[in-house]
Amino acid sequence: ESKTIKTFFQNLSKNTAARKVENDYYYEIIKCKYFNKMTLEQIAEIFDINTSVVSRHRQRLINEIKGFLFPEEYAKELDNE
């Protein structure tokens, strides 16, 4: 994982636009993936959902925030995961 991405998520709550994402039920996916370095399979087990659903919600949340928060280089890095 990139340290820049981890740093971003650690500072996420400081940005008012990002607070909306933090209130999303599936925001825990982001925390599990980027803070705890869990696999999609591990996250799916916690949520009792399919890994494709985990992946879809992770990408949805990233898409919600990357447009107004991420410089282009970070967005590309996230898209490649």
Side-chain angles (χ1 to χ4, degrees):
E1 295 293 319
S2 167
K3 288 185 181 187
T4 55
I5 292 173
K6 184 174 181 179
T7 300
F8 167 77
F9 284 114
Q10 288 173 337
N11 294 323
L12 186 61
S13 63
K14 294 178 183 177
N15 187 299
T16 55
R19 288 190 189 135
K20 175 186 169 203
V21 174
E22 284 186 313
N23 292 328
D24 188 292
Y25 174 75
Y26 288 104
Y27 178 69
E28 290 298 316
I29 290 172
I30 299 295
K31 291 169 72 175
C32 290
K33 175 77 174 145
Y34 295 102
F35 292 127
N36 300 329
K37 299 184 189 243
M38 297 173 72
T39 66
L40 294 180
E41 291 79 13
Q42 292 169 319
I43 298 167
E45 191 173 313
I46 289 171
F47 280 89
D48 195 27
I49 56 177
N50 189 291
T51 56
S52 64
V53 176
V54 172
S55 181
R56 185 173 63 242
H57 284 294
R58 182 192 70 85
Q59 190 60 48
R60 176 184 59 80
L61 289 166
I62 288 171
N63 286 339
E64 285 185 31
I65 60 177
K66 76 179 181 181
F68 53 84
L69 295 178
F70 285 128
E72 189 174 322
E73 64 208 49
Y74 298 152
K76 286 180 183 176
E77 187 175 336
L78 287 170
D79 285 341
N80 290 327
E81 289 191 356

